[in-house]
Amino acid sequence: NETTPRSPARFLHRAASEYGRKTGVVCGAERFTYLEFAERVHRLTGALRARGIVPGDRVAFLSFNCHRLLEAYYGVPQAGAVLLPLNVRLAPEEQRVILEHSGAKAVFFAPEFRPVVEQLREAVKNVEWWVPLEPDYDQLLAAAPPAPADWTSFDENAIAELFYTSGSTGAPKGVMLSHRTLYLHALYV
């Protein structure tokens, strides 16, 4: 349908409705069906909204690839917020610059990055919410009401992701990616 907004949220909706009981996500020993994955994404959206994250807020993730980061790729934009995946290879000073420049409100982080986060907490004042992925993240999801978004009403031109380059000159620079851009990239990859 030409009037349906282009958003990666459409892929999540279709996968859950078409392949719901099939395994869709594997992360180490953990396995989730497409329906279970969608439920986790909707709970992340609910948790973000309950915490006061509003459309346009930046939500950072400092994590290696895992199911939680994949959930963020859907749950954060579904809440109307902007996902800010942090490059795990950057130095803490570069992470600080990105968090300050982006105006990030929340940072979710894997346990491996706790020492980096302790440095960042002291320096970055705009972040209001620091969430360890273990064990707090799963507790956060369990307590949150699922909040599936009406993906048909997305503004496909709204920013869904803010990705910082790590070019060879100067500080990393932010690249804004819209829902439509992410949708089209997924189709053509």
Side-chain angles (χ1 to χ4, degrees), residues 87-98 116 119-120 172:
N87 184 335
V88 298
R89 292 175 190 86
L90 294 179
E93 178 59 20
E94 292 168 306
Q95 302 285 14
R96 181 195 63 73
V97 168
I98 291 170
V116 172
Q119 291 176 35
L120 294 172

Side-chain angles (χ1 to χ4, degrees), residues 2 5-6 9-10 14 33 53-54 58 61 78 93 95-96 119 127 134 151:
E2 285 301 313
R6 307 297 189 247
R10 290 177 61 182
R14 182 168 188 269
T33 66
I53 298 296
V54 298
R58 275 53 169 162
F61 267 71
Q78 205 172 254
E93 178 59 20
Q95 302 285 14
R96 181 195 63 73
Q119 291 176 35
V127 174
E134 293 178 21
W151 58 271

Side-chain angles (χ1 to χ4, degrees), residues 36-70:
E36 290 168 334
F37 177 70
E39 174 76 8
R40 291 177 63 85
V41 168
H42 299 327
R43 286 184 177 278
L44 174 57
T45 300
L48 293 170
R49 288 180 177 161
R51 181 61 191 219
I53 298 296
V54 298
D57 282 350
R58 275 53 169 162
V59 177
F61 267 71
L62 181 57
S63 170
F64 293 112
N65 287 339
C66 70
H67 66 90
R68 293 174 184 105
L69 181 58
L70 182 59

